[in-house]
Amino acid sequence: MKVVIQRVTKASVTIDGNKVANINNGLLILLGIVNEDTQEDINWLSRKIVGLRIFNDEAGVMNTSILNTKGDVIVVSQFTLHASTKKGNRPSYIKAAKPDVAIPLYKNFIQQIEHDLGKKVQTGEFGADMKVELLNDGPVTIIIDSKNKE
């Protein structure tokens, strides 16, 4: 499981002209899932994300987590995070999990983030053509792969 985490001052997701998610200060999380991912990956990633000290404290130092800032979160599924660009110029998405595997893991990830964060998170829609808009704060962008946790 791979995530791209972006600290944002605002972010939104629009599908077919309808804004389905909209936050101010918080995190935009892009989530990529592979067939080998499990609940263990979800649990580890969620704890890691919620505990990441990437928000500024009173001294302007990145020393505060999303829990402390009480910021909001949007989670967006993004299979292209597992693109392989080894051969040719057209990315291969063979590693990305198919919907029958990915959708339950995506839903479980959202539930786990909500549990660890202690509040509801907003989401895109799995498999939809989404327009994601954000204002990256910092910019702060962190990439985490659950397969590289040791």
Side-chain angles (χ1 to χ4, degrees):
M1 196 165 278
K2 188 181 290 185
V3 292
V4 174
I5 303 159
Q6 295 184 307
R7 184 179 79 179
V8 299
T9 55
K10 65 179 178 177
S12 65
V13 178
T14 302
I15 302 171
D16 294 328
N18 298 316
K19 196 171 281 193
V20 298
N22 188 40
I23 65 169
N24 287 314
N25 297 310
L27 299 174
L28 172 65
I29 302 170
L30 305 175
L31 173 67
I33 299 168
V34 294
N35 287 322
E36 298 77 29
D37 288 330
T38 66
Q39 188 64 42
E40 182 180 321
D41 294 291
I42 291 169
N43 295 343
W44 181 83
L45 262 178
S46 180
R47 283 191 308 272
K48 180 63 91 174
I49 291 166
V50 170
L52 274 179
R53 296 179 353 200
I54 59 173
F55 291 89
N56 294 346
D57 62 16
E58 306 81 34
V61 177
M62 282 198 291
N63 200 26
T64 306
S65 74
I66 188 78
L67 281 173
N68 302 113
T69 65
K70 302 197 183 337
D72 293 314
V73 174
I74 295 178
V75 176
V76 175
S77 63
Q78 189 167 356
F79 72 94
T80 60
L81 292 181
H82 290 289
S84 174
T85 57
K86 279 186 175 181
K87 297 186 333 187
N89 292 322
R90 184 169 189 260
S92 168
Y93 304 108
I94 194 88
K95 291 182 183 179
K98 302 286 185 249
D100 62 321
V101 171
I103 291 173
L105 290 171
Y106 169 70
K107 289 179 179 178
N108 288 350
F109 179 82
I110 292 163
Q111 289 174 345
Q112 190 63 49
I113 288 282
E114 289 177 337
H115 175 268
D116 292 346
L117 189 58
K119 66 193 258 184
K120 188 110 174 95
V121 302
Q122 297 186 46
T123 66
E125 181 182 318
F126 189 94
D129 180 15
M130 296 175 271
K131 306 302 179 213
V132 179
E133 190 173 1
L134 68 129
L135 184 56
N136 193 311
D137 182 23
V140 175
T141 302
I142 309 287
I143 301 170
I144 304 174
D145 190 330
S146 64
K147 303 306 185 245
N148 297 329
K149 60 184 157 207
E150 293 186 24

